[in-house]
Amino acid sequence: MSPDGPITVVVDPGEPPYDAPPFLELRGPLDTRRLESALDRIAAGRPDGPDWQHRLRPHGPGLHTLALTMSAPGEFPAGLLADLLTDPPPAGRSVCAVPPSPLQHELLADADAHPGTGRHVEQLGWLWHGPLDPERFTAAWQSLFDRESVLRSAFADGPEPRIVVHDRVKAEVVRLPHSAADWAALVEYDRCRGLDPRRPGPLRVTVLGGDPVVSATAQPTRVLLTYHHALLDGWSARLLLREFYRAYLAGGCLPGGERRPDMADYARWLADQDTGPARTFWTDATPPPGVTHSPLPVATASDPVPAGTRTGTGRTRLRLTAVQTARLGAWAAGWGSTESGALQAVWALLLYRAAGTADAEPVRFSVTVSGRGILFDGVERLPGALRNPLPMSVVVDPRGSVPELLGLLRDRALDMAAYEWVSAGQIRTWTEDRAEPPGAVGSLVAFEGGPDGPDDLVRELAAQGVRVDPPETLGAPTAFPLTLVAHHDGDGGLVVTVSHDHTRPAGIGGVLAHVAFLLDELPRVAGESTTISEVLARLVDADAETDADTSTSTGTGTEAGTPPTTSADQPADADAPALITLRPARNPGAGTVCLVPSHGTPRFCYELLARSYQGPEALVLLGAALDDGAGYEALRPLIEAGGHLVLGGFSGCGVAAYRITRLIAASGGRPPLIVLTGAATSAGDLARLLESAAERAG
């Protein structure tokens, strides 16, 4: 039995009148220190509550019972104890502490201010064609975790947050069959599950499909990396993926020791930097209040986009063909710029157009920099949180030429390169809030890139019958109301995704159509003397609804890998039933197993469990938005109809499940058994545990 394997807790309410603390059966490897720590945490949270004594009895390998005796009448929080015991065990001992950068401070604070939104949780997805050895795959990721200190890092709470590096962290690799979930749904569920930067392991791997032997008709394996910006960025994810390929080719064990430099080396370098020149640069470069920095352009010159009042997030996507992309790159290079510079120029033009002025006007937005243009040896090989949003401002003169605008943006980017290590929060402090604060107004333009797999890795994988597609960044909600993210797909096309919150104006599809039009039109018409006013005049005449060779999606995500988004006019849970039947009973009176949802556990995990369950009972799932009282009301018809009832689920639902049992007991019913296990437990194992509990309850 693995000492770090999952533990399952069965809460038995005992005998009527159910006023004594319940018995807890503990199945699996039990660390008594964890038990004592959990009881101490409960005691600390109940300073005025009655005291208790506990007695732990072993009944064989991996089986214990825990009996509790209260010193006075009162309710013991058995559900909370079950949650604490089934939560993943802490990582190994900490070996060092690293001060976070100002950028990491800001990312963590923003994520904390918006819990449950997937803020700053980014994903990277790709296709794996050919055989996949599951054991070697998992071992390769574990080898990477053992070698990369950033993958064993987490934020520690305290007066001054710090990053703690642990000596051992288990890699989280989740493997699902192709039938388990639609890819787009899996991406969205995994994003909603989120990542806690205070728990070691800022990266999660999910595999959809994958077999050691693949038939000619088999579907390719899909792989998803999910990571948190407070500890990793997109460059880092690609860098780690390249190292994973090396480990996989080496049989699952990456040669060599700890990576250097690491984030501790970067923190020391950062502490040695003189902020004086950076402060002078940004103070001089930041325009005064009153400049144009409209976050969203209008759809037409005379018809502004109507303001919206919805909440939530949405994504819209366009794609230029490989031919269009090559033409754009060649055109930009001819003027000493890049595709990224061209995208920034297009956005500056649309922001200027939104101002509705005929005079030269400064516009302002933010751009992401890789953070790896600094004079720090080995920074290009450093995985960490270095990608940085910095303010960009440029004067748009309608009488000036398009190449002049490209040159202004290029020169501005070169000037900023020396200060990529400075955070937006520091700049706001230095400029006395003249730089726009994230989350208030503004937009962000990002161009994703990073190290791809070298040709030698591609050839070695091919020799083993494996072909991997280039990874695709799937985006992350940021602190900005509107974000444009561009990347190249496997066919050489340029993909631009606009992420926006629904509190911004509607009509984003028309905005993206204008982006597509300009990216395609500028290489065709913009020469040395083409003025900005001439380009904007062509935009006025263009049909914003027709943009050949692009594909857009609003709310449904039609591009491969694009997660579906929910219209805020129709919230996902608006019409959801209180009780969802996953599988009906096989015969009348067979009883019911009710699954209680926990935060971060996707719906398809419960559907997998229902498929694995072999007992005669019906399997139902409580609605995710229900509180304890509503959950009891949803179950009351089943209770009144008779038949035994069992509650179950994954770690995190114990408190709600136990409160429901107390409501059942208070109404004179027979409180059910509760079966609670860790998130790492497979659906099949939990199904067998629930079958055993249902037989006992019947």
Side-chain angles (χ1 to χ4, degrees), residues 189-260:
Y189 276 129
D190 202 63
R191 185 197 304 280
C192 292
R193 181 182 173 191
L195 278 167
D196 184 358
R198 290 181 174 82
R199 183 179 295 280
L203 179 143
R204 180 170 59 245
V205 186
T206 305
V207 182
L208 188 61
D211 291 294
V213 180
V214 178
S215 67
T217 59
Q219 299 181 57
T221 303
R222 289 187 178 271
V223 188
L224 181 69
L225 298 188
T226 304
Y227 49 96
H228 202 287
H229 278 167
L231 289 165
L232 292 170
D233 55 21
W235 181 291
S236 303
R238 285 174 165 77
L239 186 67
L240 293 172
L241 178 57
R242 187 171 66 179
E243 294 305 296
F244 159 75
Y245 288 149
R246 295 190 189 279
Y248 187 85
L249 289 167
C253 182
L254 191 65
E258 288 272 349
R259 177 190 295 274
R260 299 299 296 273

Side-chain angles (χ1 to χ4, degrees), residues 100-315:
S101 67
L103 170 64
Q104 290 177 298
H105 269 287
E106 294 160 26
L107 290 170
L108 182 65
D110 188 66
D112 286 345
H114 302 85
T117 61
R119 197 99 151 196
H120 303 297
V121 175
E122 192 164 49
Q123 296 165 297
L124 198 71
W126 73 96
L127 291 176
W128 175 295
H129 305 267
L132 185 148
D133 184 335
E135 292 185 3
R136 180 156 52 127
F137 187 93
T138 301
W141 279 111
Q142 185 59 59
S143 177
L144 206 61
F145 271 65
D146 295 340
R147 184 174 182 265
E148 303 284 356
S149 60
V150 69
L151 295 179
R152 305 191 308 275
S153 298
F155 284 86
D157 288 322
E160 288 296 327
R162 68 190 192 283
I163 298 173
V164 176
V165 181
H166 298 262
D167 65 344
R168 173 74 175 175
V169 172
K170 185 177 180 180
E172 185 177 359
V173 180
V174 180
R175 187 163 176 255
L176 301 168
H178 269 298
S179 60
D182 172 77
W183 172 248
L186 172 63
V187 170
E188 182 66 8
Y189 276 129
D190 202 63
R191 185 197 304 280
C192 292
R193 181 182 173 191
L195 278 167
D196 184 358
R198 290 181 174 82
R199 183 179 295 280
L203 179 143
R204 180 170 59 245
V205 186
T206 305
V207 182
L208 188 61
D211 291 294
V213 180
V214 178
S215 67
T217 59
Q219 299 181 57
T221 303
R222 289 187 178 271
V223 188
L224 181 69
L225 298 188
T226 304
Y227 49 96
H228 202 287
H229 278 167
L231 289 165
L232 292 170
D233 55 21
W235 181 291
S236 303
R238 285 174 165 77
L239 186 67
L240 293 172
L241 178 57
R242 187 171 66 179
E243 294 305 296
F244 159 75
Y245 288 149
R246 295 190 189 279
Y248 187 85
L249 289 167
C253 182
L254 191 65
E258 288 272 349
R259 177 190 295 274
R260 299 299 296 273
D262 60 11
M263 286 300 290
D265 298 312
Y266 176 73
R268 285 189 286 271
W269 178 88
L270 201 59
D272 292 338
Q273 299 311 299
D274 180 6
T275 59
R279 180 170 186 162
T280 299
F281 170 79
W282 287 110
T283 301
D284 294 342
T286 304
V291 302
T292 301
H293 56 279
S294 174
L296 192 66
V298 297
T300 67
S302 59
D303 180 23
V305 177
T309 58
R310 298 177 293 173
T311 60
T313 59
R315 291 184 186 85

Side-chain angles (χ1 to χ4, degrees), residues 618-697:
L619 259 75
V620 299
L621 173 67
L622 282 178
L626 300 182
D627 58 21
D628 311 327
Y632 165 69
E633 291 297 329
L635 288 172
R636 190 161 66 170
L638 295 176
I639 298 168
E640 294 174 349
H644 56 273
L645 175 67
V646 173
L647 300 183
F650 295 97
S651 184
C653 72
V655 172
Y658 188 60
R659 287 176 178 169
I660 290 173
T661 67
R662 301 302 298 176
L663 290 171
I664 294 173
S667 66
R670 177 187 176 188
L673 295 173
I674 301 174
V675 180
L676 196 68
T677 191
T681 302
S682 69
D685 288 343
L686 179 54
R688 285 187 287 274
L689 291 165
L690 289 168
E691 290 166 20
S692 176
E695 289 177 4
R696 175 171 153 189

Side-chain angles (χ1 to χ4, degrees), residues 122-123 125 183 187 191 222 314-320 448 471-476 483-490 493-500 508-513 515-516 547 549-565:
E122 192 164 49
Q123 296 165 297
W183 172 248
V187 170
R191 185 197 304 280
R222 289 187 178 271
R315 291 184 186 85
T316 310
R317 172 169 289 196
L318 70 85
R319 178 184 181 275
L320 298 184
E448 290 291 344
E472 178 184 1
T473 301
L474 304 181
T483 303
L484 287 84
V485 180
H487 72 274
H488 291 103
D489 63 15
L494 183 67
V495 180
V496 181
T497 303
V498 176
S499 301
H500 55 95
I508 193 70
V511 172
L512 199 56
V515 172
D547 45 300
D549 296 319
T550 65
S551 59
T552 62
S553 63
T554 305
T556 56
T558 59
E559 290 280 342
T562 305
T565 55

Side-chain angles (χ1 to χ4, degrees), residues 509-588:
V511 172
L512 199 56
H514 284 146
V515 172
F517 174 82
L518 289 175
L519 289 175
D520 183 51
E521 188 76 358
L522 288 177
R524 299 176 187 272
V525 303
E528 183 175 4
S529 60
T530 304
T531 65
I532 288 172
S533 60
E534 290 172 342
V535 171
L536 293 178
R538 294 181 70 90
L539 185 60
V540 171
D541 296 335
D543 181 5
E545 299 299 323
T546 304
D547 45 300
D549 296 319
T550 65
S551 59
T552 62
S553 63
T554 305
T556 56
T558 59
E559 290 280 342
T562 305
T565 55
T566 303
S567 168
D569 294 332
Q570 296 290 334
D573 296 327
D575 301 316
L579 207 60
I580 303 162
T581 300
L582 300 175
R583 200 203 74 177
R586 290 184 175 164
N587 51 66

